[in-house]
Amino acid sequence: MARIQFYVAAACAVVLALAAPTLAGDPDMLQDVCVADLASPIKINGFPCKANITADDFFFAGLKNPGNTNNPAGSVVTAANVEKFPGVNTLGVSMARIDYAPGGQNPPHTHPRATEIIFVLEGTLEVGFITTANKLFAKTVTKGDVFVFPRGLVHFQQNRGYGPAAVVAAFNSQLQGTQAIAMTLFGAMPPVPTDILAKAFRIDNGEVEAIKNKFK
């Protein structure tokens, strides 16, 4: 009986080990390529495959140039995910370029479907993430440095230099998903009830309404 239990436990361990890669990112692909047909009316978990494809479907030139950082955050994310770059459909990868004006910030946010790793192109940034135990891991990074943000954890980047900064980010998902914390809570539609936010942040209703007005 003990031997049978051992074999059952071993079999379970093997199954979990084999399943682990699929839990780490997108599901495994079942064919060589599947360029996303973004115009298809079919709704599935992902995107259906386009019938006729060319080399251009696997090419994206959108990360060459800096983006426009003239906005309240002082930063802009240029995505190379499946919605902009259909060739990555089913491949479990995507990229982005993030540009920051002096003092610009990529506000605290999460990616529910991917780990993110950044490579600094230029500038000086303070970057960090917060664990579920509310511990902050932060570091100042400069040109050529690499930093990783674990999947699902709140993280941020802030330009601490006197000039512009930029990074290239990579994700282990074709569509990592992004939830900016402040926008999610104070800019949701329909709105989160004011009294709920007031109690959560220990402020009064008037302060909540003032913050909501900034995210309309």
Side-chain angles (χ1 to χ4, degrees):
M1 180 60 113
R3 178 168 293 186
I4 292 174
Q5 290 175 334
F6 171 79
Y7 287 141
V8 170
C12 290
V14 170
V15 169
L16 289 173
L18 292 173
T22 64
L23 296 175
D26 296 350
D28 286 343
M29 53 201 282
L30 300 176
Q31 52 204 340
D32 289 344
V33 296
C34 175
V35 175
D37 184 353
L38 301 180
S40 173
I42 300 172
K43 300 299 180 184
I44 60 174
N45 182 25
F47 296 90
C49 306
K50 190 165 74 168
N52 299 309
I53 62 176
T54 70
D56 286 340
D57 289 310
F58 303 95
F59 172 79
F60 184 76
L63 305 187
K64 287 182 180 180
N65 301 313
N68 183 3
T69 58
N70 185 21
N71 57 63
S75 71
V76 64
V77 178
T78 304
N81 57 38
V82 68
E83 293 179 333
K84 304 290 185 181
F85 185 14
V88 302
N89 191 41
T90 75
L91 301 184
V93 294
S94 61
M95 298 180 71
R97 175 184 176 132
I98 311 170
D99 291 283
Y100 316 80
Q105 178 191 87
N106 191 10
H109 61 282
T110 69
H111 301 301
R113 296 187 288 274
T115 290
E116 175 182 2
I117 188 167
I118 61 169
F119 174 82
V120 183
L121 296 174
E122 65 172 332
T124 300
L125 295 159
E126 182 177 356
V127 302
F129 64 87
I130 302 128
T131 70
T132 55
N134 296 324
K135 182 168 183 178
L136 170 66
F137 291 86
K139 192 167 181 65
T140 298
V141 294
T142 59
K143 181 177 180 179
D145 288 341
V146 173
F147 196 85
V148 66
F149 306 101
R151 175 180 176 177
L153 297 186
V154 176
H155 59 283
F156 60 86
Q157 303 107 33
Q158 175 99 24
N159 186 355
R160 294 299 192 192
Y162 296 102
V167 306
V168 168
F171 305 91
N172 64 331
S173 171
Q174 67 180 31
L175 192 60
Q176 75 280 2
T178 301
Q179 275 197 305
I181 305 304
M183 178 59 77
T184 295
L185 292 173
F186 294 97
M189 291 301 294
V192 178
T194 294
D195 63 321
I196 289 178
L197 293 175
K199 189 172 183 66
F201 286 93
R202 301 175 188 177
I203 56 180
D204 62 43
N205 288 358
E207 290 174 298
V208 171
E209 288 299 326
I211 297 172
K212 281 184 175 181
N213 286 333
K214 294 179 183 296
F215 289 92
K216 285 184 177 179

